[in-house]
Amino acid sequence: MSIAAETPMTVEAFLAWAEGLDGRWQLLDSRPIAMAPERAAHLLTKAQAWDALYRAVGRAGLPCTVFPDGATVRVSARTAFEPDALVTCDPRVPPDAIEIPNPLIVVEVLSEGAADPTFGAKLENYFSLPSVAHYLIVDPERRTLIHHRRGRGDVIETRILTAGPLPLEPPGLALAVEDFFVPP
């Protein structure tokens, strides 16, 4: 369940407006949308996904940063999302930043029983950013990971995985699908 605010906004106006509000908000086509409260399984899976990426970046010795939810990704002047985790290898992220530029990997965790009205728009919008190489959708209920990867030209390659290796190139991370899920 979500609630859409009625006032059309730019990303700048949205970020100023949302800063003092409770809960998570996203902006789609200039309309602020409140996201539904998160259940425990969703929260634990988000933490697990962040931890998996954080450990993989550390193992690879890459100069990348893994951010948990709360960081905003601007995809246009009127659309900004708050993914559940993201990786950027851009060293220019100031400590007081609200927006994270140039995400390389974006992660969304599906919520049980809560429809996200931005879900359908995210694939196209995230890949409109030249920096995005991977968009991962984690389904904790089915223990499935959907990996969208930028291919050649305009091609977006999609794999649906339940186990096994998950190499993310770029930036050169070695993970396993199982790393994204809380052990049963």
Side-chain angles (χ1 to χ4, degrees):
M1 178 177 171
S2 67
I3 302 167
E6 295 302 318
T7 308
M9 295 183 183
T10 64
V11 172
E12 288 81 9
F14 164 74
L15 291 173
W17 172 82
E19 192 165 359
L21 296 177
D22 290 332
R24 294 178 68 203
W25 289 81
Q26 300 187 87
L27 186 69
L28 178 60
D29 298 328
S30 77
R31 298 279 182 202
I33 300 171
M35 303 313 295
E38 298 170 311
R39 299 179 194 278
H42 182 87
L43 294 168
L44 290 171
T45 304
K46 283 192 329 186
Q48 188 73 23
W50 177 87
D51 186 61
L53 290 166
Y54 181 81
R55 289 174 186 267
V57 165
R59 283 190 307 269
L62 295 171
C64 301
T65 305
V66 184
F67 287 93
D69 73 328
T72 298
V73 173
R74 179 191 303 242
V75 295
S76 73
R78 300 194 176 276
T79 299
F81 300 127
E82 188 179 304
D84 290 319
L86 67 87
V87 175
T88 183
C89 298
D90 189 335
R92 302 171 295 161
V93 180
D96 62 343
I98 295 172
E99 292 183 65
I100 305 302
N102 304 315
L104 183 63
I105 302 167
V106 179
V107 179
E108 297 282 355
V109 176
L110 297 181
S111 296
E112 182 182 341
D116 177 354
T118 63
F119 185 75
K122 286 181 177 175
L123 178 65
E124 179 182 358
N125 276 283
Y126 281 138
F127 279 107
S128 74
L129 300 172
S131 65
V132 172
H134 306 277
Y135 173 34
L136 306 175
I137 301 171
V138 183
D139 184 343
E141 186 177 344
R142 292 177 184 80
R143 298 184 69 80
T144 301
L145 190 142
I146 302 168
H147 176 204
H148 299 289
R149 180 178 81 165
R150 186 180 301 277
R152 293 178 188 235
D154 294 342
V155 174
I156 304 300
E157 301 169 354
T158 301
R159 298 184 311 151
I160 300 172
L161 308 161
T162 57
L166 178 67
L168 298 178
E169 185 63 50
L173 300 181
L175 297 115
V177 172
E178 296 84 355
D179 296 342
F180 285 82
F181 298 99
V182 176

